[in-house]
Amino acid sequence: MCGIVGYIGERDAAPILLDGLRRLEYRGYDSAGLAVMDRAGAVMVQRAAGKLGNLAQRVEAAHPQGDAGIGHTRWATHGPPIERNAHPHSSPDGAILVVQNGIVENFHDLRAELRAEGYVFLSDTDTEVIAHLIHRFYHNGCGGDLEWAMRCALARLHGPNAIVAMSKDQPRRLIAARLGHAGGVAAGERAGEAFLASDMPAILSHTDEIVHLESGQMAVVEPGRIRYSTLSGDAVERRPVSVAWTAAEADKGGYAFYMEKEIYEQAASLTAALRGHLDVENRRVELAALNLDAGKLAALRRVTILACGTSYYAGLIGKHYLERLAGVPVEVDYASEFRYRQPLVRSDDLAVAITQSGETADTLAAAELAKERGAATAAIVNVEGSQITRLCDGVIPMQAGPEIGVASTKAFTAALVDLLLLAIYIGQETGRLDAEQRGELIEALLALPGMAGALLDEARRSGRYARLAETFHTSRNFLYLGRGMHYAIAREGALKLKEITYIHAEGYPAGEMKHGPIALIDEEWPTVVVAPQDRVYDKMVSQVEQIKARRGKVLAVASEGDAYLAGAADYVLPIPAANEFILPILAVLPLQLFAYEIARRKGLDVDQPRNLAKSVTVE
Ligand code: M6R
């Protein structure tokens, strides 16, 4: 949830650290701080509550000098987002400085223990416990060896954590470690310099050769040299992997917000999601990295989809795809529920984890549990090299490019493409889907990016969504209704609105409306109905009638040329006619645009909504 950066080399550390923090700000943005150290071990710490701009102003005024340092952007877990809780935190003598992403679950016990020994705490954070623990072992038992003091301290911590520390006594060294599923630590080096960061965008402008630290590993980082070991001190050989993402992809590219860019680039991200998976001539889907042979697929008894948030809603649509095209029963579980409900898992199950980041703590834990209990596992994931890619037996990469906006958009549509590919693939390998059906679906997939591009171009040209935002930005509540696959789209649309506009919105199965929610409808309560012309279209039309009979306003995501809804609904959000399995991927686009334009109209920070962070690496 927090962002960590580290730099050591020949250049001024402060601007490099600030640039890295800017690229990680999506991970947390309630306070930030950095510590810069020169070669004599003199350290300057700057911290500020609020957005990164506040820290940047302080750094500019103070000009910290030094060619090594660590930085942090925070999403508060322990203690309010005020300056004294901002990282870095230091040992009592100020010699050891620490930034952390994660949670020290036994921090109350450790704090009491350290207090009894005379340690004084200046913050409410669990991070300060780590700094004090390292200090204690450094002076008692580890003979002034920072590396070993850190190992001893880490052995006392419970809970997932990623930590970077530095010491005034060893000014040409940073030490990073990772324990459990706490957001990543990526390390990269380049002639005479070395970089650390929670996530690749902070490093990509320096190097595209990156190592992702595994849980239980430590990196001792010196200029141009990184040494890897286990927490018990055994050396580990880690070879950097080349990353296909570029620094430019991780920039805003002229858009006001990352979310806007990520919505409008979906023609390209959908094309990329298909890359390498279609054998058009033979009407086949290729999923080489899934690592499941035809025999195993034929014996599959059940698929369990595990995910959180937007990825979970993708899973709800995946259930329709897999049951109808692959003929296999599917359960979709919130990863956070699955991991604690003692699930019945068998060796003929396939657990599919869907996660943009590949670092969501609940999804990692749920996939790990399914694997421990004997299921084959696969990840639908966007971030290359993320933890889930190493945990699961197989991978279907989203290939959507970096998604920085906290509200997920292009990763959702890429996940839907991957789920459709998976359903076709299982149908193909088990013989349940014939070549003709596969051919139709492949044609539909090939047409998808063009359709999405045309929809988005028309939306931009017409200014429809900015006008709708003008009308609806003062609404206090919305209901979103859909049926079948579009029930999940209704829920995703409502989530987008909630998280970036702070307007209450509920996504509901349209058929359940009459069992309660219809009581909410009046002139003040608009309803978004997702009603393209599909197999449940007539049922959706009845819903619209019922809402209109109660004087509710209706915004309808409708097929272009739908004369009935053009007359019955108050506003139409058009999408093109398409194959029924492609429709949900198109139907979500107007809802992304609607939420985005309302947030803009309200003057909100679209990319950094309050209380949220992009990767939820804590429970
Ligand atoms: O990285 P993941 O796909 O595992 O993230 C899951 C959710 O945290 C994420 O989808 C969240 O709900 C987004 N803010 C939705 O826009």
Short mmCIF file of all heavy atoms in Angstrom, two decimals, residues 358-384:
data_model
loop_
_atom_site.label_atom_id
_atom_site.label_comp_id
_atom_site.label_asym_id
_atom_site.label_seq_id
_atom_site.Cartn_x
_atom_site.Cartn_y
_atom_site.Cartn_z
N GLY A 358 -0.87 -8.31 -9.18
CA GLY A 358 -0.15 -9.53 -8.81
C GLY A 358 0.39 -9.48 -7.40
O GLY A 358 1.17 -10.34 -6.99
N GLU A 359 -0.02 -8.46 -6.64
CA GLU A 359 0.54 -8.27 -5.30
C GLU A 359 -0.55 -8.15 -4.24
O GLU A 359 -0.23 -7.87 -3.08
CB GLU A 359 1.40 -6.99 -5.26
CG GLU A 359 2.58 -6.97 -6.22
CD GLU A 359 3.71 -7.90 -5.81
OE1 GLU A 359 3.70 -8.37 -4.66
OE2 GLU A 359 4.58 -8.17 -6.65
N THR A 360 -1.82 -8.28 -4.60
CA THR A 360 -2.89 -8.12 -3.62
C THR A 360 -2.79 -9.23 -2.57
O THR A 360 -2.83 -10.42 -2.90
CB THR A 360 -4.26 -8.16 -4.33
OG1 THR A 360 -4.29 -7.08 -5.24
CG2 THR A 360 -5.40 -8.02 -3.34
N ALA A 361 -2.64 -8.83 -1.31
CA ALA A 361 -2.33 -9.80 -0.25
C ALA A 361 -3.38 -10.89 -0.17
O ALA A 361 -3.05 -12.08 -0.06
CB ALA A 361 -2.21 -9.07 1.09
N ASP A 362 -4.66 -10.53 -0.22
CA ASP A 362 -5.72 -11.54 -0.08
C ASP A 362 -5.70 -12.52 -1.25
O ASP A 362 -5.91 -13.73 -1.07
CB ASP A 362 -7.09 -10.86 0.00
CG ASP A 362 -7.31 -10.23 1.38
OD1 ASP A 362 -6.88 -10.81 2.38
OD2 ASP A 362 -7.92 -9.15 1.43
N THR A 363 -5.47 -12.01 -2.45
CA THR A 363 -5.48 -12.88 -3.63
C THR A 363 -4.29 -13.84 -3.59
O THR A 363 -4.42 -15.02 -3.91
CB THR A 363 -5.47 -12.02 -4.91
OG1 THR A 363 -6.55 -11.08 -4.81
CG2 THR A 363 -5.65 -12.87 -6.15
N LEU A 364 -3.14 -13.33 -3.17
CA LEU A 364 -1.96 -14.20 -3.05
C LEU A 364 -2.22 -15.30 -2.03
O LEU A 364 -1.95 -16.48 -2.28
CB LEU A 364 -0.75 -13.37 -2.63
CG LEU A 364 -0.17 -12.46 -3.70
CD1 LEU A 364 0.77 -11.43 -3.08
CD2 LEU A 364 0.60 -13.27 -4.74
N ALA A 365 -2.80 -14.90 -0.89
CA ALA A 365 -3.02 -15.90 0.17
C ALA A 365 -4.05 -16.93 -0.27
O ALA A 365 -3.89 -18.13 0.01
CB ALA A 365 -3.47 -15.19 1.44
N ALA A 366 -5.08 -16.49 -0.98
CA ALA A 366 -6.12 -17.43 -1.43
C ALA A 366 -5.54 -18.40 -2.46
O ALA A 366 -5.79 -19.61 -2.40
CB ALA A 366 -7.29 -16.65 -2.01
N ALA A 367 -4.74 -17.89 -3.39
CA ALA A 367 -4.14 -18.77 -4.41
C ALA A 367 -3.18 -19.77 -3.75
O ALA A 367 -3.13 -20.95 -4.12
CB ALA A 367 -3.42 -17.93 -5.45
N GLU A 368 -2.45 -19.28 -2.78
CA GLU A 368 -1.51 -20.16 -2.07
C GLU A 368 -2.26 -21.28 -1.35
O GLU A 368 -1.87 -22.45 -1.39
CB GLU A 368 -0.72 -19.32 -1.05
CG GLU A 368 0.52 -19.99 -0.55
CD GLU A 368 1.43 -18.98 0.15
OE1 GLU A 368 0.91 -18.11 0.90
OE2 GLU A 368 2.65 -19.07 -0.06
N LEU A 369 -3.38 -20.93 -0.74
CA LEU A 369 -4.19 -21.92 -0.02
C LEU A 369 -4.74 -22.97 -1.00
O LEU A 369 -4.68 -24.18 -0.73
CB LEU A 369 -5.34 -21.20 0.70
CG LEU A 369 -6.33 -22.07 1.46
CD1 LEU A 369 -5.61 -22.81 2.59
CD2 LEU A 369 -7.45 -21.20 2.05
N ALA A 370 -5.26 -22.49 -2.13
CA ALA A 370 -5.79 -23.43 -3.12
C ALA A 370 -4.70 -24.38 -3.60
O ALA A 370 -4.91 -25.58 -3.76
CB ALA A 370 -6.39 -22.66 -4.30
N LYS A 371 -3.50 -23.84 -3.77
CA LYS A 371 -2.37 -24.65 -4.23
C LYS A 371 -1.98 -25.68 -3.17
O LYS A 371 -1.80 -26.86 -3.47
CB LYS A 371 -1.20 -23.73 -4.55
CG LYS A 371 -0.05 -24.41 -5.23
CD LYS A 371 0.98 -23.41 -5.67
CE LYS A 371 2.09 -24.11 -6.42
NZ LYS A 371 3.02 -23.19 -6.99
N GLU A 372 -1.89 -25.21 -1.93
CA GLU A 372 -1.54 -26.13 -0.83
C GLU A 372 -2.53 -27.29 -0.75
O GLU A 372 -2.18 -28.41 -0.41
CB GLU A 372 -1.62 -25.39 0.50
CG GLU A 372 -0.35 -24.66 0.88
CD GLU A 372 -0.62 -23.68 2.02
OE1 GLU A 372 -1.63 -23.83 2.76
OE2 GLU A 372 0.16 -22.74 2.12
N ARG A 373 -3.79 -26.99 -1.06
CA ARG A 373 -4.81 -28.04 -0.95
C ARG A 373 -4.94 -28.87 -2.23
O ARG A 373 -5.89 -29.62 -2.38
CB ARG A 373 -6.15 -27.40 -0.58
CG ARG A 373 -6.07 -26.78 0.80
CD ARG A 373 -7.39 -26.39 1.36
NE ARG A 373 -7.19 -25.98 2.75
CZ ARG A 373 -8.14 -25.93 3.66
NH1 ARG A 373 -9.37 -26.25 3.35
NH2 ARG A 373 -7.88 -25.53 4.88
N GLY A 374 -4.03 -28.66 -3.16
CA GLY A 374 -3.93 -29.60 -4.28
C GLY A 374 -4.46 -29.12 -5.61
O GLY A 374 -4.36 -29.83 -6.60
N ALA A 375 -5.06 -27.92 -5.67
CA ALA A 375 -5.59 -27.44 -6.95
C ALA A 375 -4.45 -27.02 -7.87
O ALA A 375 -3.39 -26.59 -7.42
CB ALA A 375 -6.50 -26.24 -6.71
N ALA A 376 -4.69 -27.16 -9.18
CA ALA A 376 -3.79 -26.50 -10.14
C ALA A 376 -4.11 -25.00 -10.06
O ALA A 376 -5.26 -24.63 -9.78
CB ALA A 376 -4.05 -27.02 -11.54
N THR A 377 -3.11 -24.16 -10.28
CA THR A 377 -3.36 -22.72 -10.14
C THR A 377 -2.89 -21.96 -11.38
O THR A 377 -1.90 -22.33 -12.01
CB THR A 377 -2.62 -22.14 -8.91
OG1 THR A 377 -1.26 -22.55 -8.98
CG2 THR A 377 -3.23 -22.61 -7.61
N ALA A 378 -3.64 -20.91 -11.70
CA ALA A 378 -3.26 -20.05 -12.82
C ALA A 378 -3.55 -18.61 -12.43
O ALA A 378 -4.49 -18.34 -11.68
CB ALA A 378 -4.05 -20.42 -14.08
N ALA A 379 -2.74 -17.70 -12.95
CA ALA A 379 -2.93 -16.28 -12.65
C ALA A 379 -3.24 -15.52 -13.93
O ALA A 379 -2.54 -15.69 -14.93
CB ALA A 379 -1.68 -15.70 -12.00
N ILE A 380 -4.28 -14.71 -13.87
CA ILE A 380 -4.52 -13.70 -14.91
C ILE A 380 -4.00 -12.41 -14.32
O ILE A 380 -4.56 -11.90 -13.34
CB ILE A 380 -6.02 -13.64 -15.27
CG1 ILE A 380 -6.42 -14.95 -15.93
CG2 ILE A 380 -6.31 -12.44 -16.15
CD1 ILE A 380 -7.88 -15.03 -16.35
N VAL A 381 -2.90 -11.90 -14.84
CA VAL A 381 -2.16 -10.86 -14.12
C VAL A 381 -1.55 -9.87 -15.10
O VAL A 381 -1.16 -10.24 -16.21
CB VAL A 381 -1.06 -11.52 -13.24
CG1 VAL A 381 -0.12 -12.39 -14.05
CG2 VAL A 381 -0.28 -10.49 -12.46
N ASN A 382 -1.46 -8.61 -14.65
CA ASN A 382 -0.89 -7.60 -15.53
C ASN A 382 0.59 -7.35 -15.28
O ASN A 382 1.36 -7.23 -16.22
CB ASN A 382 -1.67 -6.28 -15.38
CG ASN A 382 -1.37 -5.32 -16.52
OD1 ASN A 382 -1.14 -5.77 -17.66
ND2 ASN A 382 -1.36 -4.04 -16.24
N VAL A 383 0.97 -7.25 -14.00
CA VAL A 383 2.36 -6.83 -13.71
C VAL A 383 3.31 -8.02 -13.86
O VAL A 383 3.23 -9.00 -13.12
CB VAL A 383 2.47 -6.22 -12.30
CG1 VAL A 383 3.92 -5.86 -12.00
CG2 VAL A 383 1.59 -4.97 -12.21
N GLU A 384 4.18 -7.90 -14.83
CA GLU A 384 5.18 -8.95 -15.09
C GLU A 384 6.06 -9.14 -13.87
O GLU A 384 6.44 -8.16 -13.23
CB GLU A 384 6.13 -8.51 -16.21
CG GLU A 384 5.51 -8.38 -17.56
CD GLU A 384 6.55 -7.82 -18.54
OE1 GLU A 384 7.75 -8.11 -18.40
OE2 GLU A 384 6.14 -7.07 -19.43
#
